[in-house]
Coordinates of all heavy atoms in Angstrom, one line a residue:
M27 N -11.1 17.9 -7.5 CA -9.7 18.0 -8.0 C -8.8 18.5 -6.8 O -7.5 18.6 -7.1 CB -9.7 18.9 -9.3 CG -10.7 18.6 -10.3 SD -10.7 16.8 -10.7 CE -12.2 16.7 -11.7
S28 N -9.3 18.9 -5.8 CA -8.5 19.5 -4.8 C -7.7 18.4 -4.1 O -6.7 18.8 -3.4 CB -9.3 20.1 -3.8 OG -10.2 19.2 -3.1
N29 N -8.0 17.1 -4.3 CA -7.2 16.1 -3.7 C -5.9 15.7 -4.5 O -5.2 14.9 -4.1 CB -8.0 14.8 -3.5 CG -9.1 15.1 -2.5 OD1 -9.0 16.0 -1.8 ND2 -10.1 14.2 -2.5
A30 N -5.7 16.4 -5.6 CA -4.5 16.0 -6.5 C -3.3 16.3 -5.7 O -3.0 17.2 -5.1 CB -4.5 17.0 -7.7
G31 N -2.4 15.1 -5.7 CA -1.2 15.3 -5.0 C -1.3 14.9 -3.5 O -0.3 14.9 -2.9
L32 N -2.4 14.7 -3.0 CA -2.6 14.4 -1.6 C -2.7 12.9 -1.3 O -3.2 12.1 -2.2 CB -3.8 15.1 -1.0 CG -3.7 16.6 -0.9 CD1 -5.0 17.2 -0.2 CD2 -2.6 16.9 0.1
C33 N -2.3 12.4 -0.1 CA -2.5 11.0 0.3 C -4.0 10.7 0.1 O -4.8 11.4 0.6 CB -2.0 10.9 1.7 SG -2.5 9.2 2.4
Q34 N -4.2 9.6 -0.5 CA -5.7 9.2 -0.7 C -6.3 8.5 0.5 O -7.4 8.2 0.6 CB -5.8 8.4 -2.0 CG -5.4 9.1 -3.2 CD -5.6 8.3 -4.5 OE1 -6.0 7.2 -4.4 NE2 -5.1 8.8 -5.5
V35 N -5.4 8.3 1.5 CA -5.9 7.7 2.7 C -6.3 8.7 3.8 O -7.4 8.7 4.2 CB -4.8 6.7 3.4 CG1 -5.3 6.2 4.7 CG2 -4.5 5.6 2.5
C36 N -5.5 9.7 4.0 CA -5.7 10.6 5.1 C -6.2 12.0 4.4 O -6.7 12.9 5.0 CB -4.6 10.8 6.0 SG -3.1 11.4 5.2
E37 N -5.8 12.2 3.1 CA -6.1 13.4 2.4 C -5.7 14.6 3.2 O -6.3 15.6 3.1 CB -7.7 13.5 2.1 CG -8.1 12.3 1.2 CD -9.6 12.5 0.9 OE1 -10.3 13.3 1.5 OE2 -10.1 11.8 0.0
N38 N -4.6 14.5 3.9 CA -4.1 15.5 4.7 C -2.6 15.8 4.5 O -2.1 16.8 5.0 CB -4.4 15.2 6.2 CG -4.4 16.3 7.1 OD1 -4.7 17.4 6.7 ND2 -4.0 16.1 8.3
A39 N -2.0 14.9 3.9 CA -0.5 15.0 3.6 C -0.2 14.8 2.2 O -1.0 14.1 1.5 CB 0.2 14.1 4.6
R40 N 0.9 15.3 1.8 CA 1.2 15.1 0.4 C 1.6 13.7 0.0 O 2.4 13.1 0.8 CB 2.5 16.0 0.1 CG 2.9 15.8 -1.5 CD 4.0 16.9 -1.8 NE 3.4 18.3 -1.7 CZ 3.8 19.2 -2.4 NH1 4.7 19.1 -3.3 NH2 3.3 20.4 -2.2
A41 N 1.1 13.2 -1.0 CA 1.4 11.8 -1.4 C 2.9 11.7 -1.9 O 3.3 12.5 -2.7 CB 0.4 11.3 -2.5
R42 N 3.5 10.7 -1.4 CA 4.9 10.5 -1.7 C 5.2 9.2 -2.4 O 6.3 9.0 -3.1 CB 5.8 10.5 -0.4 CG 5.7 11.8 0.4 CD 6.4 12.9 -0.4 NE 6.6 14.0 0.5 CZ 7.2 15.2 0.1 NH1 7.7 15.3 -1.1 NH2 7.2 16.2 0.9
H43 N 4.3 8.3 -2.3 CA 4.5 7.0 -3.0 C 3.1 6.6 -3.6 O 2.1 7.0 -3.3 CB 4.7 5.9 -1.9 CG 5.9 6.3 -1.0 ND1 7.3 6.1 -1.5 CD2 6.0 6.9 0.1 CE1 8.1 6.5 -0.5 NE2 7.4 7.0 0.5
T44 N 3.3 5.7 -4.6 CA 2.1 5.2 -5.3 C 2.2 3.6 -5.1 O 3.1 3.0 -5.5 CB 2.1 5.5 -6.8 OG1 2.1 6.9 -7.0 CG2 0.9 4.9 -7.5
C45 N 1.1 3.1 -4.5 CA 1.0 1.7 -4.2 C 1.2 0.9 -5.5 O 0.4 1.2 -6.5 CB -0.2 1.4 -3.4 SG -0.5 -0.4 -3.1
Q46 N 2.0 0.0 -5.5 CA 2.2 -0.9 -6.7 C 1.0 -1.9 -6.9 O 1.0 -2.6 -7.8 CB 3.5 -1.4 -6.9 CG 4.5 -0.4 -7.1 CD 6.0 -0.9 -7.1 OE1 6.2 -2.1 -7.6 NE2 7.0 -0.2 -6.9
S47 N 0.3 -2.0 -5.8 CA -0.7 -3.1 -5.7 C -2.0 -2.6 -6.1 O -2.8 -3.2 -6.9 CB -0.7 -3.7 -4.4 OG -1.6 -4.9 -4.3
C48 N -2.4 -1.5 -5.6 CA -3.7 -0.9 -5.9 C -3.7 0.4 -6.5 O -4.7 0.9 -7.0 CB -4.6 -0.8 -4.5 SG -4.0 0.5 -3.4
G49 N -2.5 1.1 -6.6 CA -2.4 2.3 -7.3 C -2.8 3.5 -6.4 O -2.8 4.7 -7.0
T50 N -3.0 3.3 -5.2 CA -3.4 4.5 -4.4 C -2.1 5.3 -4.1 O -1.1 4.8 -3.8 CB -4.0 3.9 -3.0 OG1 -5.2 3.2 -3.4 CG2 -4.2 5.0 -2.0
Q51 N -2.3 6.6 -4.1 CA -1.2 7.5 -3.7 C -1.3 7.8 -2.3 O -2.3 8.2 -1.7 CB -1.4 8.8 -4.5 CG -1.1 8.5 -6.1 CD -1.2 9.8 -6.9 OE1 -2.1 10.6 -6.8 NE2 -0.1 10.1 -7.6
V52 N -0.2 7.6 -1.6 CA -0.1 7.7 -0.1 C 1.0 8.5 0.4 O 2.0 8.6 -0.2 CB -0.1 6.4 0.6 CG1 -1.5 5.5 0.3 CG2 1.0 5.5 0.1
C53 N 0.8 9.1 1.6 CA 1.9 9.8 2.2 C 2.8 8.8 2.9 O 2.6 7.6 2.9 CB 1.3 10.8 3.2 SG 0.5 10.0 4.7
T54 N 3.9 9.3 3.5 CA 4.8 8.4 4.1 C 4.2 7.7 5.3 O 4.6 6.5 5.6 CB 6.1 9.2 4.6 OG1 5.6 10.4 5.4 CG2 6.8 9.7 3.4
D55 N 3.2 8.3 5.9 CA 2.6 7.6 7.0 C 1.8 6.4 6.7 O 1.6 5.5 7.5 CB 1.7 8.6 7.8 CG 2.5 9.7 8.6 OD1 3.7 9.4 8.8 OD2 1.9 10.6 9.1
H56 N 1.3 6.5 5.4 CA 0.5 5.3 5.0 C 1.2 4.5 3.9 O 0.6 3.9 3.1 CB -0.8 5.9 4.6 CG -1.6 6.6 5.5 ND1 -1.8 7.9 5.6 CD2 -2.4 5.9 6.5 CE1 -2.5 8.2 6.6 NE2 -2.8 7.1 7.2
W57 N 2.5 4.5 4.0 CA 3.3 3.7 3.1 C 4.1 2.7 3.9 O 4.8 3.0 4.9 CB 4.3 4.6 2.3 CG 5.2 4.0 1.4 CD1 6.5 3.8 1.7 CD2 5.0 3.4 0.2 NE1 7.2 3.2 0.6 CE2 6.1 2.9 -0.4 CE3 3.7 3.2 -0.6 CZ2 6.2 2.2 -1.6 CZ3 3.8 2.5 -1.8 CH2 5.1 2.0 -2.3
D58 N 4.2 1.5 3.5 CA 4.9 0.5 4.0 C 6.2 0.2 3.2 O 6.1 -0.4 2.2 CB 4.1 -0.8 4.2 CG 4.9 -1.8 5.1 OD1 6.1 -2.1 5.0 OD2 4.2 -2.3 6.0
E59 N 7.2 0.8 3.7 CA 8.5 0.7 3.0 C 8.9 -0.7 2.8 O 9.5 -1.1 1.7 CB 9.7 1.4 3.8 CG 10.9 1.7 3.0 CD 10.6 2.7 1.9 OE1 10.1 3.8 2.1 OE2 11.2 2.5 0.7
T60 N 8.8 -1.6 3.7 CA 9.2 -3.0 3.7 C 8.5 -3.7 2.5 O 9.2 -4.4 1.8 CB 8.9 -3.7 4.9 OG1 9.5 -3.0 6.0 CG2 9.4 -5.1 5.0
I61 N 7.2 -3.5 2.5 CA 6.5 -4.2 1.4 C 6.4 -3.6 0.1 O 6.2 -4.1 -0.9 CB 5.0 -4.5 1.9 CG1 5.2 -5.5 3.3 CG2 4.2 -5.3 0.9 CD1 3.9 -5.7 3.9
G62 N 6.5 -2.2 0.2 CA 6.3 -1.4 -1.0 C 4.8 -1.3 -1.4 O 4.6 -1.3 -2.7
A63 N 4.1 -1.1 -0.4 CA 2.7 -0.9 -0.7 C 2.0 0.0 0.3 O 2.6 0.4 1.3 CB 1.9 -2.3 -0.7
C64 N 0.8 0.4 0.0 CA 0.1 1.3 0.9 C -0.2 0.5 2.2 O -0.2 -0.7 2.2 CB -1.1 1.9 0.3 SG -2.4 0.7 0.0
S65 N -0.6 1.2 3.1 CA -0.9 0.6 4.5 C -2.0 -0.5 4.4 O -2.0 -1.4 5.1 CB -1.3 1.6 5.6 OG -2.4 2.4 5.1
A66 N -3.0 -0.1 3.6 CA -4.1 -1.1 3.4 C -3.7 -2.4 2.8 O -4.0 -3.5 3.2 CB -5.2 -0.5 2.6
C67 N -2.9 -2.3 1.7 CA -2.3 -3.4 1.0 C -1.4 -4.2 1.9 O -1.3 -5.4 2.0 CB -1.7 -3.0 -0.3 SG -2.9 -2.6 -1.5
A68 N -0.6 -3.4 2.7 CA 0.4 -4.0 3.6 C -0.2 -5.0 4.6 O 0.2 -6.1 4.9 CB 1.2 -3.0 4.3
E69 N -1.5 -4.6 5.1 CA -2.1 -5.4 6.0 C -2.5 -6.7 5.3 O -2.4 -7.8 5.8 CB -3.4 -4.7 6.4 CG -3.2 -3.6 7.6 CD -4.4 -3.2 8.0 OE1 -5.5 -3.8 8.0 OE2 -4.5 -1.9 8.5
T70 N -3.0 -6.6 4.0 CA -3.4 -7.8 3.3 C -2.2 -8.6 2.9 O -2.3 -9.9 3.1 CB -4.1 -7.4 2.1 OG1 -5.3 -6.5 2.4 CG2 -4.7 -8.6 1.3
I71 N -1.2 -8.0 2.4 CA -0.1 -8.8 1.9 C 0.7 -9.4 3.1 O 1.1 -10.4 3.1 CB 0.9 -7.8 1.2 CG1 0.2 -7.4 -0.2 CG2 2.1 -8.7 0.8 CD1 0.9 -6.4 -0.9
G72 N 0.7 -8.7 4.2 CA 1.5 -9.0 5.4 C 0.8 -10.1 6.3 O 1.3 -10.4 7.2
D73 N -0.3 -10.5 5.9 CA -1.2 -11.4 6.8 C -1.1 -12.8 6.1 O -1.9 -13.1 5.3 CB -2.5 -10.9 6.8 CG -3.3 -11.8 7.8 OD1 -2.8 -12.8 8.4 OD2 -4.6 -11.6 8.0
P74 N -0.1 -13.6 6.6 CA 0.0 -14.9 6.1 C -1.1 -15.9 6.5 O -1.2 -17.0 5.9 CB 1.3 -15.4 6.7 CG 1.5 -14.7 8.0 CD 0.7 -13.4 7.7
D75 N -2.0 -15.5 7.3 CA -3.1 -16.4 7.9 C -4.3 -16.3 7.0 O -5.2 -17.0 7.2 CB -3.4 -16.0 9.3 CG -2.2 -16.3 10.3 OD1 -1.5 -17.2 10.0 OD2 -2.2 -15.5 11.3
D76 N -4.3 -15.4 6.1 CA -5.4 -15.2 5.2 C -5.2 -15.8 3.9 O -4.5 -15.3 3.1 CB -5.8 -13.7 5.1 CG -7.0 -13.5 4.3 OD1 -7.7 -14.5 3.9 OD2 -7.5 -12.3 4.3
P77 N -5.9 -17.0 3.6 CA -5.7 -17.7 2.4 C -6.5 -17.2 1.3 O -6.2 -17.6 0.1 CB -6.2 -19.1 2.7 CG -7.3 -18.8 3.8 CD -6.8 -17.6 4.5
S78 N -7.3 -16.1 1.5 CA -8.1 -15.6 0.4 C -7.3 -14.5 -0.4 O -7.9 -13.9 -1.3 CB -9.4 -15.0 1.0 OG -9.0 -13.9 1.8
T79 N -6.1 -14.2 0.0 CA -5.3 -13.1 -0.6 C -4.6 -13.7 -1.8 O -3.4 -13.6 -2.0 CB -4.3 -12.5 0.3 OG1 -3.4 -13.5 0.8 CG2 -5.0 -11.7 1.3
G80 N -5.3 -14.3 -2.7 CA -4.8 -14.9 -3.9 C -4.8 -14.2 -5.1 O -4.9 -14.6 -6.3
D81 N -4.7 -12.8 -5.0 CA -4.7 -11.9 -6.2 C -3.5 -12.0 -6.9 O -2.6 -12.6 -6.5 CB -4.9 -10.4 -5.7 CG -6.2 -10.2 -4.9 OD1 -7.1 -11.1 -5.2 OD2 -6.3 -9.4 -4.2
D82 N -3.5 -11.5 -8.1 CA -2.4 -11.6 -9.1 C -1.3 -10.6 -8.6 O -1.4 -9.5 -8.9 CB -2.8 -11.3 -10.5 CG -1.7 -11.6 -11.5 OD1 -0.7 -12.3 -11.1 OD2 -1.7 -11.2 -12.6
R83 N -0.4 -11.1 -7.8 CA 0.7 -10.1 -7.3 C 2.0 -10.8 -7.5 O 2.6 -11.4 -6.7 CB 0.5 -9.8 -5.8 CG -0.8 -9.3 -5.4 CD -0.6 -8.9 -3.9 NE -0.2 -10.0 -3.1 CZ -1.1 -10.8 -2.5 NH1 -2.3 -10.5 -2.5 NH2 -0.6 -11.8 -1.7
P84 N 2.6 -10.6 -8.7 CA 3.8 -11.3 -9.1 C 5.0 -10.9 -8.2 O 5.8 -11.8 -8.0 CB 4.0 -10.9 -10.5 CG 3.2 -9.6 -10.7 CD 2.0 -9.8 -9.8
D85 N 5.0 -9.7 -7.7 CA 6.1 -9.3 -6.9 C 5.8 -9.1 -5.5 O 6.5 -8.4 -4.8 CB 6.9 -8.2 -7.5 CG 6.0 -7.0 -7.8 OD1 4.8 -7.1 -7.4 OD2 6.4 -6.0 -8.4
G86 N 4.5 -9.5 -5.1 CA 4.1 -9.1 -3.7 C 4.0 -10.4 -2.9 O 3.8 -10.4 -1.7
F87 N 4.5 -11.5 -3.5 CA 4.3 -12.8 -2.9 C 5.6 -13.1 -1.9 O 6.7 -12.8 -2.5 CB 4.2 -14.0 -3.8 CG 3.9 -15.3 -3.2 CD1 2.7 -15.5 -2.5 CD2 4.9 -16.3 -3.2 CE1 2.4 -16.8 -1.9 CE2 4.6 -17.5 -2.7 CZ 3.4 -17.8 -2.0
R88 N 5.4 -13.4 -0.8 CA 6.6 -13.6 0.1 C 6.5 -14.9 0.8 O 5.5 -15.4 1.2 CB 6.5 -12.5 1.2 CG 6.6 -11.2 0.7 CD 6.9 -10.2 1.8 NE 6.2 -10.5 3.0 CZ 6.6 -10.0 4.2 NH1 7.7 -9.3 4.3 NH2 5.8 -10.3 5.2
I89 N 7.6 -15.6 0.9 CA 7.8 -16.8 1.7 C 8.7 -16.6 2.8 O 9.9 -16.3 2.6 CB 8.2 -18.0 0.8 CG1 7.2 -18.2 -0.4 CG2 8.3 -19.2 1.6 CD1 7.7 -19.3 -1.3
D90 N 8.2 -16.7 4.0 CA 9.1 -16.5 5.2 C 9.4 -17.8 5.8 O 8.6 -18.5 6.0 CB 8.4 -15.6 6.2 CG 8.3 -14.2 5.8 OD1 9.3 -13.8 5.2 OD2 7.3 -13.6 6.0
Ligands
LIG119 ZN1 -1.7 9.6 4.6
LIG120 ZN1 -2.4 -0.4 -1.9

């Protein structure tokens, strides 16, 4: 329970955001403001070369 309120990525800084894709609470360092997701999801969402990212993301889909 000691992790409550901490970034679930680094567990070293206070969580400021909750990823809308996976629900992970992350600090500002692990938050992608542009995409609105944690750093892990940002990598997945932000990679147009990966066709396997067909998860149900109604507001995460981007067309550039
Ligand atoms: Zn962090
Ligand atoms: Zn996430």
Side-chain angles (χ1 to χ4, degrees):
M27 308 312 169
S28 60
N29 288 342
L32 289 178
C33 170
Q34 294 178 11
V35 176
C36 63
E37 297 183 347
N38 200 29
R40 177 171 299 211
R42 297 292 187 179
H43 306 274
T44 300
C45 177
Q46 295 182 20
S47 183
C48 70
T50 298
Q51 294 182 305
V52 294
C53 66
T54 53
D55 285 349
H56 293 107
W57 175 253
D58 192 308
E59 189 74 41
T60 304
I61 298 176
C64 69
S65 57
C67 288
E69 283 187 26
T70 302
I71 296 171
D73 185 0
D75 294 332
D76 189 349
S78 67
T79 55
D81 296 340
D82 187 18
R83 301 191 304 268
D85 53 6
F87 188 69
R88 301 193 316 163
I89 300 176
D90 288 323

